[in-house]
Amino acid sequence: MKRGRAVAGPAKKQKTSSGDKPEKENTKLREELEIYENLFFNKYCTDLVDQGLRHDGRKLLEPRPVGVTCGVLSTAHGSAMVSQGASKVICGVKGMLAPAQGSNGDEGRIEIRCMLSEVAEAGVSLDMLNAQQRGNAIAQFVKKMLEATQTIDCKLLCLKENTVAWNIHADVYILNSDGSLKDTCLHAVVAALLNTTLPAVEVKDDETCLRPDSKGLALGIKKYPIALTMGSFKGSLLTDITQREESLGGGITVVYDSTSKLVNIQKEGGTPFTEEALRKCADHAKSRAKSIKQEIEKGVGSKEKKGSLF
């Protein structure tokens, strides 16, 4: 259900319902509210938080809806599009054969790239350098969380020791950014990996050949990371913060795995969190992770993707 703009500041003086006013006066009121919000966003949010509300109409601990759709790229071995409020991300996964790696020559690898366009930021103009730097930071975060949860066993990517293995490339394209972007990108990569089926390959005498007549192989994922970014403003916690709310004091990203085990807590500058606030963030993120897991599994189409690269 689409929400209207939360009312604060000058709007408090307007008690009459919009249905009793001429359309011209309603339009003027909306314009005044928008100007007030843009010029005095901190004060605007302070007024709202005192009422238990936020600038987009949500309650303080109310998350935005998450949508997951898989199989959106026909040219990829796996893909997914994830929306979280106005933030929207698409991820494509492709497997490429490459020399086996690792100290024993028995591993493949996974690489993450994240591309943020200049127009993806909601209301913010980014030059290419800043967009690339932010994209790299998100890619590093996603890869770190995948490694921390052992989402993919790189040894299972090896087809023949000291010979050939799969390299998994996950390319993330940020279509629109409106806050909590690390969460959205992470979930898009996870859903795309769960959706991935690699071609069947046969290795004979150090030669590899694809076998299009054979059933492809899934990645055998058993668990994966789930993230929630929260903010703190005027002593109140905010769940799933928007881009504008991030400017109020940064955010904290809490990561659980799909078995409800705490994986990581990452704070990015801004307002310091008390120990009690951190505990509340962790508890709330644990509960929210269960809902996001359901959305991911619904998008993938099954609770667990079976298969092995052996």
Side-chain angles (χ1 to χ4, degrees), residues 118-156:
E118 295 179 64
V119 296
E121 290 282 357
V124 177
S125 177
L126 285 181
D127 58 42
M128 286 305 296
L129 178 59
N130 286 336
Q132 183 178 6
Q133 289 175 339
R134 189 161 184 213
N136 290 342
I138 293 172
Q140 291 172 7
F141 167 78
V142 171
K143 186 173 182 180
K144 181 180 178 181
M145 294 305 102
L146 293 176
E147 292 173 345
T149 55
Q150 298 180 330
T151 300
I152 292 180
D153 185 348
C154 288
K155 290 185 180 296
L156 297 181

Side-chain angles (χ1 to χ4, degrees), residues 232-263:
S232 176
F233 182 65
K234 302 299 181 182
S236 297
L237 293 177
L238 310 177
T239 292
D240 181 17
I241 55 178
T242 66
Q243 183 169 286
R244 297 204 69 183
E245 288 172 335
E246 287 175 352
S247 69
L248 296 174
I252 184 169
T253 302
V254 183
V255 181
Y256 277 84
D257 70 17
S258 51
T259 67
S260 297
K261 179 181 178 181
L262 180 62
V263 176

